[in-house]
Amino acid sequence: MTAGRPIRTARELVDAGLVAPAAEEAVARVTSRYAVAISPTIADLIDRQDTGDPIARQFVPDIAELTQTPEERADPIGDGAHSPVSGIVHRYPDRVLLKAVHVCPVYCRFCFRREMVGPQGLGTITPAELDAAITYIAEHSEIWEVILTGGDPFVLSPRRLHEIMERLGAIDHVKIVRFHTRVPVVEPGRVDAELVQALKASGKTTYVALHANHPRELTPEARAASARLIDAGIVMVSQSVLLKGVNDDAAVLAELMRAFVETRIKPYYLHHPDLAPGTSHFRLTIEEGQALVAALRGRVSGLCQPTYILDIPGGHGKAVVGASTIAAEGGGCYTVTDFRGNEHAYPPSG
Ligand code: SF4
């Protein structure tokens, strides 16, 4: 494990060779607006010779973050509209988000909750708020799945995670507990036997969704941390964000999805970037995203295909935005497009 503490300030970024001395003042304006943390593992992964390094682009603050476009908003996916009690987002009938903590081991420059996370953010849920959140889950028998997100729930101590799992474990109608995390990639040493054990509760199935966006993030250490979870019976899926200058390339996406599958992590979601403030330099168009997803389909195994989705601003939930491969022609006939882009009649005419 790489030792040391995270890089957080403009001066530390300069000292680490991640920001040019001449840019320190400008970058300090970004660090005073949005949280910054680069874990030692991620700092080691950055190629300082490459000015377009896809790892640096995800974590090193950029002056472009101070440019806010009119369509951007503080709560891009509309969590606030569906929060009946503090820490809970209940958008879909059978599942809730439980946001126990708003702290992360790294801060992604494109984060959709960047106005809520970080040292100046919403912090950790209080014991009274956690009681109210657990009571809400217990009183709603339609809740089948609880998704711990935030923030990154893996920053909580194993003792606190165990306590949350015990309390969820006592609720009969909750069958699935899912954690969303970046820790196996950005701080793999944290995934030790104690943490793994804390994620399990009798009679419940635990899922872990790993957030990674570039194949270089799946280091041997990240793969070993994931294996510790999977070998303990935890199911892993992936989530990635489609990001300009990071993974907006069919070959890079294919390598990323293959790396997940090789690690026994099923590709799950590929998110279109949300309208978070100061993130327009990461966004590509929906058409560009659809073209990349179509290219992926022809390039790699069906196991490696994520679902390309958009969170509809305003809290209306997710919509699948993958390019359609079938068009109705009337009379029960269709035109189907294969992975090479060739069109075929369905059913065939003869
Ligand atoms: S780990 Fe998730 S919540 Fe934390 S900064 Fe990155 S995207 Fe945001």
Side-chain angles (χ1 to χ4, degrees):
M1 183 173 69
T2 311
R5 59 181 192 79
I7 296 165
R8 295 187 186 276
T9 67
R11 170 39 57 97
E12 288 171 347
L13 287 159
V14 171
D15 290 346
L18 296 172
V19 162
E24 181 179 341
E25 206 180 309
V27 166
R29 282 195 278 139
V30 183
T31 60
S32 65
R33 174 76 180 82
Y34 297 113
V36 172
I38 301 176
S39 66
T41 298
I42 290 296
D44 283 354
L45 207 53
I46 292 173
D47 178 356
R48 282 138 173 96
Q49 309 309 315
D50 179 1
T51 52
D53 181 65
I55 309 298
R57 190 162 165 78
Q58 293 183 64
F59 301 105
V60 177
D62 189 308
I63 191 73
E65 293 172 49
L66 298 177
T67 303
Q68 187 163 346
T69 61
E71 69 275 18
E72 292 176 345
R73 52 197 61 206
D75 180 12
I77 70 167
D79 281 352
H82 298 281
S83 187
V85 297
S86 190
I88 292 281
V89 177
H90 196 175
R91 195 185 331 262
Y92 306 97
D94 74 339
R95 55 205 184 274
V96 289
L97 303 185
L98 173 53
K99 297 198 282 186
V101 64
H102 288 85
V103 174
C104 303
V106 289
Y107 290 104
C108 312
R109 307 323 305 159
F110 49 86
C111 175
F112 65 125
R113 295 203 178 107
R114 60 188 333 207
E115 299 282 0
M116 300 158 217
V117 298
Q120 314 300 327
L122 302 180
T124 303
I125 198 168
T126 66
E129 287 169 338
L130 182 61
D131 286 349
I134 299 279
T135 300
Y136 180 87
I137 295 167
E139 287 176 348
H140 287 77
S141 58
E142 73 275 23
I143 298 173
W144 172 80
E145 180 182 23
V146 176
I147 301 165
L148 277 108
T149 179
D152 193 319
F154 277 19
V155 303
L156 294 170
S157 68
R159 184 186 59 76
R160 292 209 64 192
L161 287 167
H162 175 70
E163 181 198 321
I164 292 172
M165 284 304 288
E166 287 274 287
R167 296 182 71 179
L168 294 175
I171 303 173
D172 271 353
H173 55 262
V174 172
K175 303 296 183 194
I176 307 292
V177 182
R178 189 195 330 167
F179 292 86
H180 281 193
T181 184
R182 243 180 176 317
V183 163
V185 161
V186 304
E187 218 181 323
R190 194 184 261 271
V191 185
D192 59 13
E194 200 186 355
L195 176 90
V196 172
Q197 201 50 40
L199 304 178
K200 302 182 72 173
S202 172
K204 310 298 173 197
T205 300
T206 304
Y207 275 70
V208 169
L210 176 65
H211 173 186
N213 304 312
H214 190 276
R216 270 177 40 220
E217 293 172 55
L218 276 298
T219 60
E221 292 76 18
R223 294 179 190 225
S226 302
R228 290 193 284 279
L229 293 162
I230 297 164
D231 289 346
I234 292 169
V235 186
M236 286 189 74
V237 295
S238 76
Q239 56 170 355
S240 307
V241 187
L242 193 52
L243 297 164
K244 199 185 268 186
V246 174
N247 57 18
D248 58 335
D249 175 287
V252 171
L253 275 181
E255 206 185 325
L256 173 64
M257 297 305 152
R258 280 183 167 159
F260 281 134
V261 171
E262 289 163 14
T263 310
R264 293 181 281 161
I265 299 172
K266 174 70 187 87
Y268 179 42
Y269 276 154
L270 178 64
H271 296 264
H272 191 76
D274 294 310
L275 296 172
T279 62
S280 60
H281 53 300
F282 284 112
R283 283 199 296 279
L284 23 63
T285 65
I286 295 278
E287 288 78 7
E288 287 167 334
Q290 287 175 324
L292 283 165
V293 169
L296 200 57
R297 186 149 287 284
R299 200 177 270 261
V300 287
S301 158
L303 281 177
C304 300
Q305 306 294 334
T307 303
Y308 179 35
I309 51 154
L310 171 73
D311 263 289
I312 306 169
H316 304 290
K318 292 179 172 61
V320 175
V321 289
S324 174
T325 54
I326 191 158
E329 304 294 353
C333 296
Y334 300 85
T335 298
V336 194
T337 307
D338 70 23
F339 70 93
R340 294 188 182 86
N342 300 323
E343 294 185 345
H344 307 270
Y346 179 85
S349 47

